């Protein structure tokens, strides 16, 4: 059969979903109408299933519920020790459009591996698993079925500088018995562990080496206490004389971080004589160039400039450009911009700096050409280039119109029904998993329909994540929804803060997920740390918020807008400095202003923390997008920066108060 056109494929997919069918799979039982009582019974059954209280589950009452598969998942998982591979595969097929399928496969791989049921493990696998423990069992299962693949997988798992799970023990020991993993592999892993600061693993691995390795171990001990001893490492260590390279590479790793200038001196002495793989030599020189530039080691700069073209690593050349921008060395900015790989050089970021360098050196035609290329991009430097040219910003916005029929059919899909049901019973984490699984697997048309549906339901965070999973970069109304707009306007007006700036911050911080929690404990839409929230609340004369209260959008926006207002006051209304302080803290920004370039673009480029540098660019670009979308995508009259922000001095005079 010829391929269906996209729109027809989309209709077929929706129709199959509406009929309760998973395309290419068997029927999935769904219930078109779910009462509040049914949801209550389902929630009770799911909670009981998690606790393995099977007698508390009324199976007849839930068997037609759209979420019945979740209880079935827990039942099957609880009896994986006796379940057959056929039962597991049957579950996976029936729930193939849900994350339940992958979760069941992963759980079964682990359990079958623990029990040594390797034939069954392979029967339910669909290639290499993602988790390390499952990889260990998977390649163990292949030891007799496919020895070559088992060896390749085992070697990859072995060559890491950290301890691996016990699940790998059988795999490693078998590969050692077969001569696949040799003493040389043990030595190389020992060096990786040393680089990684894993002293316990180093000691464990060392015990596995016999007396023929004693000379290598003695050399390691001498360098271990003194990195500079790398210049005295014999070049013929190990039984076959090939252990020196791994020791030298590991020692150079430590010396470069401890004393970059001394490390280059050592490298110059040994580089012509030591036998190293191209990969090891490249890694050593990449490290040396990187730390020489980050630490501004003047005596290393000549070597760096000579070496960068040979290494041809974009990240190093970008760092070299950044340093030249900070110094105001425009000939070097131009030189190294031209040295970037063509695909990287074409990016708006680097075209902007090529334009600035060309302009500073008097080549107006080349500067204008570079600015015009940069200004086509929807980004901080793309907008800055447009400002240089005096032209409106380019949004490159895609059409996000979805027909009424598409909307209706989307609402009938099993994944939508399951997501809505999970939302109703308070299982928002599971609901997001359902949604993102569908978004990542679907065709562009299907993902568009899901993003549109999420927006219409007010699931703003899920809509944004849908566009990310589906790589819908130009679907701006879905990527930048007017989420909580009334609250941002309200508290923006009360705190005299640009509401679009507030929306840009929240979009960057939480992607409009009010329940977002960061690894360090920041919470809510504007990702407030509890301590900061307490401080702001006290200044407002209100009670310190509880942890749960920080997830309330109104309070979170109120406190966040008050805090950014204080940062704006601190930096005389300058949004670049205030935004940087929101991310990195005002003390750091104050310090950066003492030695930063005075021009706004060079100040942003010189921010030493990549996270903050990217954060400032994203937030200010986002606010342009939000303001433009509020004008139906019209960028006329929209300005990323004020005249004072573009022309002011970025130095300590910007600080109004501490």
């Amino acid at each position: 059969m010829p391929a269906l056109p996209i729109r027809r494929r989309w209709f077929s997919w929706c129709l199959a979903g509406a009929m309760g069918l998973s395309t290419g799979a068997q029927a999935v039982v769904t219930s078109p109408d779910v009462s509040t009582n049914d949801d209550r019974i389902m929630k009770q059954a799911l909670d009981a299933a998690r606790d393995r209280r099977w007698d508390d589950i009324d199976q007849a009452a839930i068997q037609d519920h759209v979420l019945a598969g979740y209880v079935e998942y827990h039942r099957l998982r609880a009896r994986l020790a006796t379940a057959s591979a056929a039962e597991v595969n049957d579950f996976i097929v029936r729930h193939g459009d849900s994350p339940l399928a992958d979760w069941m496969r992963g759980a079964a791989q682990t359990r079958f591996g623990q029990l040594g049921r390797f034939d069954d493990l392979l029967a339910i696998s669909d290639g290499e698993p993602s988790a390390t423990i499952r990889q260990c069992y998977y390649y163990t299962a292949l030891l007799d079925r496919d020895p070559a693949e088992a060896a390749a997988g085992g070697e990859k798992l072995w060559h890491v500088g950290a301890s691996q799970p016990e699940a790998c023990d059988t795999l490693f020991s078998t590969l050692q018995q077969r001569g696949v993993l040799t003493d040389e592999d043990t030595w190389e892993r020992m060096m990786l562990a040393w680089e990684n600061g894993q002293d316990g693993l180093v000691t464990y691995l060392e015990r596995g080496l016999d007396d023929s390795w004693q000379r290598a171990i003695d050399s390691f001990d001498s360098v271990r206490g003194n990195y500079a001893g790398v210049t005295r490492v014999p070049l013929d260590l190990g039984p076959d004389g090939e252990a020196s390279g791994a020791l030298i590479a590991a020692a150079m790793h430590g010396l470069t971080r401890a004393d970059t200038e001394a490390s280059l001196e050592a490298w110059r002495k040994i580089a012509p004589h030591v036998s190293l793989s191209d990969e090891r030599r490249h890694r050593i020189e990449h490290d040396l160039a990187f730390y020489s530039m980050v630490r501004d080691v003047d005596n290393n700069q000549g070597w760096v400039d000579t070496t960068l073209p040979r290494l041809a690593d974009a990240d190093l050349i970008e760092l070299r450009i950044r340093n030249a921008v900070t110094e105001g060395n425009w000939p070097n900015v131009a030189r190294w911009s031209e040295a970037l790989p063509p695909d990287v050089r074409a990016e708006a970021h680097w075209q902007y700096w090529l334009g600035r360098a060309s302009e500073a050196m008097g080549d107006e035609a080349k500067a204008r050409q570079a600015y015009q290329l940069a200004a086509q991009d929807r980004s901080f430097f793309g907008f800055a280039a447009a400002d240089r040219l005096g032209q409106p910003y380019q949004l490159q916005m895609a059409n996000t119109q979805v027909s009424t029929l598409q909307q209706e059919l989307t609402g009938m899909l099993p994944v939508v029904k399951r997501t809505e049901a999970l939302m109703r019973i308070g299982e928002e984490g599971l609901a997001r998993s359902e949604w993102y699984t569908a978004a990542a697997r679907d065709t562009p048309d299907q993902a568009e329909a899901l993003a549109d549906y999420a927006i219409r339901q007010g699931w703003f965070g899920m809509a944004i994540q849908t566009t990310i999973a589906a790589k819908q970069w130009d679907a701006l109304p879905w990527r930048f929804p007017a989420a909580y707009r009334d609250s941002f306007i309200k508290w923006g007006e009360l705190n005299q803060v640009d509401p679009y700036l507030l929306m840009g911050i929240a979009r960057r911080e939480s992607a409009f997920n009010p329940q977002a929690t960061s690894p360090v404990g920041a919470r809510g839409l504007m990702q407030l740390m509890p301590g900061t929230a307490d401080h702001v609340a006290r200044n407002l004369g209100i009670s310190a918020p509880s942890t749960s209260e920080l997830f309330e959008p109104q309070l979170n926006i109120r406190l966040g807008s008050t805090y950014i207002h204080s940062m704006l006051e601190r930096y005389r209304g300058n949004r670049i400095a205030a935004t940087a302080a929101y991310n990195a803290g005002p003390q750091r920004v104050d310090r950066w202003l003492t030695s930063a370039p005075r021009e706004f673009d060079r100040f942003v480029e010189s921010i030493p923390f990549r996270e903050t540098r990217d954060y400032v660019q994203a937030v200010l670009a986002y606010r342009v997008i939000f303001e433009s979308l509020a004008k139906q995508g019209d960028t006329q009259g929209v300005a990323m920066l004020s005249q004072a922000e573009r022309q002011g001095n970025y130095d300590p005079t910007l600080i109004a108060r501490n």
Side-chain angles (χ1 to χ4, degrees):
M1 177 190 289
L4 292 169
I6 287 178
R7 292 288 170 182
R8 287 183 60 202
R9 287 204 307 270
W10 188 94
F11 183 89
S12 298
W13 169 79
C14 284
L15 187 60
M19 295 171 62
L21 299 179
S22 174
T23 53
Q26 65 190 80
V28 176
V29 178
T30 62
S31 175
D33 297 301
V34 181
S35 69
T36 301
N37 188 55
D38 288 340
D39 281 342
R40 179 182 58 79
I41 295 172
M42 185 67 235
K43 173 62 173 172
Q44 292 173 345
L46 181 55
D47 289 341
R50 285 170 172 151
D51 296 335
R52 300 191 179 189
R53 294 182 283 106
W54 311 120
D55 291 342
D56 293 345
I57 298 174
D58 185 345
Q59 191 62 42
I62 67 166
Q63 64 181 2
D64 291 330
H65 197 284
V66 70
L67 299 180
Y70 279 82
V71 172
E72 182 187 358
Y73 166 81
H74 285 286
R75 284 188 184 276
L76 181 55
R77 183 173 181 177
R79 62 180 188 84
L80 279 174
T82 58
S84 68
E87 289 178 279
V88 173
N89 277 329
D90 175 67
F91 181 93
I92 290 171
V93 169
R94 286 187 292 107
H95 298 280
D97 66 337
S98 167
L100 289 171
D102 286 339
W103 296 342
M104 179 54 67
R105 177 178 282 114
Q109 286 169 331
T110 300
R111 192 69 180 116
F112 290 171
Q114 291 169 339
L115 297 171
R117 294 174 53 185
F118 295 122
D119 287 342
D120 287 341
L121 187 154
L122 293 176
I124 56 97
S125 296
D126 61 346
E128 181 188 63
S130 57
T132 300
I133 289 178
R134 294 166 192 160
Q135 289 174 1
C136 294
Y137 286 133
Y138 177 74
Y139 288 113
T140 301
L142 288 173
L143 281 168
D144 295 325
R145 181 81 62 90
D146 190 338
E149 187 177 352
E155 287 185 293
K156 183 172 64 175
L157 289 165
W158 176 265
H159 286 280
V160 297
S163 296
Q164 293 286 45
E166 291 183 4
C168 280
D169 288 354
T170 299
L171 174 64
F172 290 158
S173 62
T174 303
L175 293 179
Q176 286 168 338
Q177 292 167 10
R178 294 178 179 180
V180 174
L181 292 177
T182 64
D183 285 348
E184 284 75 13
D185 292 301
T186 298
W187 176 259
E188 290 188 7
R189 187 179 183 197
M190 183 174 155
M191 294 301 101
L192 291 173
W194 180 39
E195 286 185 18
N196 207 28
Q198 298 291 315
D199 293 339
L201 180 58
V202 169
T203 301
Y204 170 79
L205 292 168
E206 185 178 323
R207 293 196 202 105
L209 298 172
D210 61 29
D211 292 344
S212 65
W213 286 86
Q214 191 57 52
R215 181 164 167 261
I217 292 171
D218 291 342
S219 294
F220 167 59
D221 288 339
S222 66
V223 178
R224 193 176 188 180
N226 176 21
Y227 291 127
V230 67
T231 59
R232 298 186 295 275
V233 171
L235 303 182
D236 59 347
L237 294 176
D240 297 323
E242 297 181 357
S244 301
L247 175 55
I248 289 170
M252 286 298 302
H253 174 91
L255 183 57
T256 297
R257 286 154 179 75
D259 188 336
T260 307
E261 187 171 352
S263 185
L264 180 57
E265 292 177 8
W267 180 241
R268 282 173 163 156
K269 290 179 182 178
I270 65 177
H273 311 292
V274 64
S275 176
L276 290 171
S277 67
D278 291 342
E279 186 275 331
R280 279 199 176 117
R281 189 174 292 269
H282 189 99
R283 183 160 61 95
I284 290 170
E285 294 188 335
H286 183 284
D287 268 8
L288 274 169
F290 176 80
Y291 282 97
S292 295
M293 288 189 285
V294 167
R295 293 173 174 172
D296 196 21
V297 183
D298 288 338
N299 288 340
N300 290 14
Q301 194 58 59
W303 176 87
V304 169
D305 284 355
T306 301
T307 305
L308 288 189
R310 175 166 53 79
L311 294 178
D313 289 334
D315 64 321
L316 295 178
I317 298 174
E318 290 173 5
L319 179 55
R320 185 68 182 88
I321 296 170
R322 186 168 293 115
N323 286 351
V325 167
T326 301
E327 297 161 2
N329 188 328
W330 297 115
N332 268 343
V333 173
R335 171 193 173 187
W336 292 109
S337 295
E338 298 288 0
L340 285 167
D343 58 328
V344 179
R345 184 169 66 246
E347 294 174 5
H349 190 164
W350 307 115
Q351 283 298 310
Y352 176 85
W353 287 118
L354 179 59
R356 285 280 273 122
S358 300
E359 188 175 26
M361 294 187 295
D363 191 339
E364 294 293 335
K366 189 171 185 178
R368 186 170 185 82
Q369 180 184 38
Y371 287 146
Q372 285 175 336
L373 287 172
Q376 297 173 26
D377 195 53
R378 184 181 58 241
S379 65
F380 178 88
F381 285 107
F383 297 154
D387 287 339
R388 289 269 173 182
L389 295 169
Q391 65 185 38
Y393 304 140
Q394 298 295 311
L395 291 188
Q396 309 289 356
M397 183 166 60
N399 179 15
T400 55
Q401 295 298 314
V402 175
S403 71
T404 301
L405 176 60
Q406 290 171 331
Q407 291 175 345
E408 291 176 353
L409 290 173
T410 300
M412 300 167 68
L413 291 172
V415 64
V416 173
K417 293 295 187 182
R418 290 194 299 270
T419 300
E420 290 177 330
L422 288 165
M423 288 285 197
R424 290 196 303 268
I425 65 174
E427 296 286 351
E428 293 187 4
L430 293 178
R432 286 192 291 271
S433 294
E434 281 279 355
W435 202 260
Y436 301 155
T437 297
R441 293 177 178 174
D442 287 342
T443 66
D445 265 23
Q446 295 163 5
E448 287 176 10
L450 290 177
D452 171 77
Y453 193 89
I455 289 290
R456 289 186 289 109
Q457 297 300 311
W459 303 339
F460 302 116
M462 289 169 63
I464 292 168
Q465 293 301 327
T466 300
T467 65
I468 293 172
K471 299 181 180 180
Q472 298 166 321
W473 309 126
D474 296 331
L476 301 190
W478 297 334
R479 289 188 62 207
F480 300 93
Y484 310 100
R485 182 175 181 271
D486 291 345
S487 294
F488 284 116
I489 290 174
K490 171 186 175 181
W491 294 112
E493 289 177 348
L494 288 172
N495 285 305
Q496 298 178 307
V497 180
D498 172 10
Y500 299 120
L501 177 67
L502 296 177
M503 294 175 74
I505 291 173
R507 172 61 174 78
R508 177 68 177 190
E509 290 283 0
S510 66
F512 291 141
N513 175 9
Q515 300 299 315
T517 302
S518 78
V520 296
R523 292 172 168 84
L525 287 172
M526 301 190 72
Q527 287 293 274
L528 295 172
M529 293 295 291
T532 301
D534 288 353
H535 176 75
V536 173
R538 283 198 301 272
N539 288 342
L540 288 173
I542 63 176
S543 301
S546 65
T547 298
S548 60
E549 287 174 330
L550 286 179
F551 295 121
E552 296 175 5
Q554 280 281 349
L555 179 61
N556 194 281
I557 294 171
R558 179 185 183 184
L559 296 177
S561 62
T562 302
Y563 180 70
I564 192 66
H565 170 74
S566 70
M567 293 298 99
L568 288 164
E569 282 191 325
R570 184 187 188 98
Y571 299 110
R572 303 184 188 278
N574 187 284
R575 290 171 296 178
I576 290 178
T579 302
Y582 194 94
N583 177 261
Q587 291 75 24
R588 290 194 179 99
V589 175
D590 290 356
R591 188 165 63 250
W592 296 339
L593 288 169
T594 63
S595 58
R598 292 189 173 189
E599 297 161 286
F600 84 89
D601 48 1
R602 293 175 61 213
F603 170 75
V604 171
E605 195 67 76
S606 73
I607 292 174
F609 291 178
R610 178 173 182 173
E611 177 190 338
T612 304
R613 193 166 61 243
D614 292 347
Y615 182 90
V616 169
Q617 294 174 41
V619 167
L620 292 172
Y622 289 175
R623 77 150 306 283
V624 166
I625 295 170
F626 280 118
E627 183 178 357
S628 301
L629 289 175
K631 300 170 61 179
Q632 290 73 51
D634 183 4
T635 64
Q636 289 285 350
V638 177
M640 181 170 66
L641 302 174
S642 67
Q643 183 176 354
E645 289 166 336
R646 287 197 306 271
Q647 299 179 357
N649 289 332
Y650 286 76
D651 60 22
T653 63
L654 196 61
I655 306 171
R657 63 177 180 83
N658 291 320

